[in-house]
Amino acid sequence: MYELDCSGVIPGCQRVIRAETQAEVFRRAVVQAKQLGVEKITPTMLDTMRQKTQELSN
């Protein structure tokens, strides 16, 4: 299980996104960003997502 606290990554986001894979966390984060009006996901934003995504221990 992976987790991303998207506050500080996506402007206006206060969610914690959890999913079984990192790819699914990123996909959900991109969907969330678009819902919040972010038109373009920048390389910097993707790098920050990668850095802040944590693998949770079971």
Side-chain angles (χ1 to χ4, degrees):
M1 178 74 68
Y2 291 86
E3 175 180 281
L4 170 65
D5 179 353
C6 68
S7 63
V9 178
I10 301 168
C13 184
Q14 299 301 317
R15 290 185 60 204
V16 174
I17 299 169
R18 291 183 187 92
E20 290 298 320
T21 65
Q22 271 187 313
E24 181 63 14
V25 169
F26 296 156
R27 188 194 71 75
R28 292 178 186 185
V30 168
V31 169
Q32 180 67 36
K34 292 190 185 246
Q35 289 175 347
L36 291 169
V38 176
E39 294 181 19
K40 182 179 179 186
I41 305 300
T42 65
T44 302
M45 190 180 291
L46 285 174
D47 287 343
T48 304
M49 282 183 202
R50 282 187 199 96
Q51 291 170 358
K52 293 198 176 230
T53 297
Q54 299 178 352
E55 186 171 9
L56 302 176
S57 58
N58 292 334

